[in-house]
Amino acid sequence: LLYIFEFFMIYSPDNRMQVQQPAIWVIDLSNNRVLHRYEIPENIVDTGRGLASITVDVFERACNEAFAYIPDLVNRQLYVFR
């Protein structure tokens, strides 16, 4: 499985504009199918600014019990998703 953290912002010298809400994608590489897309609600993360990467902890025989960790470098928080 491939886990992707996606956020899309447009930066210009005087403006920063978020195009879409940050999301986590889970893709099955054996058949190229999207298994899940979780859009992170605005009340958790209002922008993708400061969100650095995604780290996934998966149990060997239970892929449905994975945890995704996304650090927020601006607000000094760690978001955990299951």
Side-chain angles (χ1 to χ4, degrees), residues 36-76:
H36 189 67
R37 181 180 183 276
Y38 176 72
E39 190 168 290
I40 301 171
E42 239 179 87
N43 65 336
I44 296 176
V45 176
D46 59 346
T47 68
R49 183 172 176 259
L51 302 180
S53 61
I54 186 169
T55 301
V56 180
D57 185 14
V58 181
F59 296 99
E60 185 176 338
R61 292 198 162 96
C63 290
N64 292 336
E65 296 183 27
F67 290 87
Y69 305 93
I70 300 175
D72 183 336
L73 303 179
V74 171
N75 298 307
R76 298 181 181 171

Side-chain angles (χ1 to χ4, degrees), residues 5-12 14-23 37-51 72 75 79:
F5 172 63
E6 170 194 45
F7 69 97
F8 187 59
M9 296 185 78
I10 297 175
Y11 293 93
S12 66
D14 300 327
N15 189 22
R16 181 182 355 214
M17 183 176 72
Q18 181 172 314
V19 177
Q20 69 184 34
Q21 194 64 19
R37 181 180 183 276
Y38 176 72
E39 190 168 290
I40 301 171
E42 239 179 87
N43 65 336
I44 296 176
V45 176
D46 59 346
T47 68
R49 183 172 176 259
L51 302 180
D72 183 336
N75 298 307
Y79 302 107

